[in-house]
Amino acid sequence: MIKENVQAILNELPAGVQLVGAAKTRSHEEIQQAIEAGLQIVGENYVQEAENAFEVIGNRVKWHMIGHLQSNKANKAVKIFDMIETVDSVKLARAIDNASGNIGKTMPILIEINSGEERQKAGALPSEAAFMIREIMAFKNIRVMGLMTMGPFAGDPEEARPYFHKTKALFDEVQAMHMAGVEMTYLSMGMSNSYKVALEEGANIVRIGTRLFGERGK
Ligand SMILES: *Cc1c(COP(=O)(O)O)cnc(C)c1O
């Protein structure tokens, strides 16, 4: 089933759109099945879970951090991940910069945007993002490569559309600033129930779990 799901989504995605398989709670066997079907990027929410999976699967795929990263886990994270999609503070960026420098790596990052401006949610407020990127661009060992957003959870994906739209507008705005060392390339938006809307709004990375692996927690 996982194989068919992965192949169906890969066939459906337009050229130039990257699929991140959101792997939280999935077994290594399930992740491996997805990889055999063509999945090239695995998304992990927790460093520990990523370490365990990385040990088994290694670097025949790319690894994206898509969960909230604590600064004190930056040392471990930079060893595994090829991209950290969830940078939402200068403090975290600094920790990633230091950790990357220590191992001679330049870490691609996305800035996570709290597009719904929800109090309890991670992410930079849209109004703060450009200012934050201006500070982060000075760090030598990280490269800002785009934006990521979750958007408010909604039953109807159409309810997510304005937040995806807003994040794309912010993406274009930052891109037009042509900040040195900032390459606005990736816009990561959309999950199982919302990726179609996200694609219409300009996403070029979609993060999909349930539609590949089935419902969680069964
Ligand atoms: C779990 C998760 C996804 C995928 O969610 P599904 O609804 O299972 O497709 C995408 N992004 C993030 C950050 C996640 O934690």
Side-chain angles (χ1 to χ4, degrees), residues 106-176:
T106 303
M107 178 62 67
I109 64 161
L110 305 183
I111 305 298
E112 181 174 2
I113 304 299
N114 181 356
S115 56
E117 305 190 34
E118 295 166 281
R119 208 177 269 277
Q120 72 282 12
K121 278 252 179 92
L125 292 174
S127 60
E128 297 171 346
F131 186 79
M132 188 182 292
I133 293 170
R134 260 183 219 292
E135 287 194 50
I136 289 176
M137 65 188 258
F139 295 136
K140 295 276 182 295
N141 308 303
I142 53 184
R143 182 160 298 137
V144 179
M145 299 206 69
L147 305 181
M148 176 272 205
T149 198
M150 296 279 286
F153 287 109
D156 178 356
E158 281 302 327
E159 288 173 28
R161 188 183 294 277
Y163 303 98
F164 293 157
H165 194 84
K166 189 201 269 188
T167 307
K168 171 63 159 77
L170 182 59
F171 178 90
D172 291 342
E173 198 181 301
V174 175
Q175 194 170 45

Side-chain angles (χ1 to χ4, degrees), residues 169-188:
L170 182 59
F171 178 90
D172 291 342
E173 198 181 301
V174 175
Q175 194 170 45
M177 292 176 183
H178 298 293
M179 292 189 255
V182 176
E183 301 168 30
M184 296 301 279
T185 307
Y186 299 111
L187 182 56
S188 174

Side-chain angles (χ1 to χ4, degrees), residues 22 24 45 66 148 150 191-192 207-211 216:
K24 57 179 176 280
N45 289 66
I66 63 173
M148 176 272 205
M150 296 279 286
M191 325 205 308
S192 291
R207 309 176 310 271
I208 300 183
T210 310
R211 280 286 289 265
R216 275 183 294 276

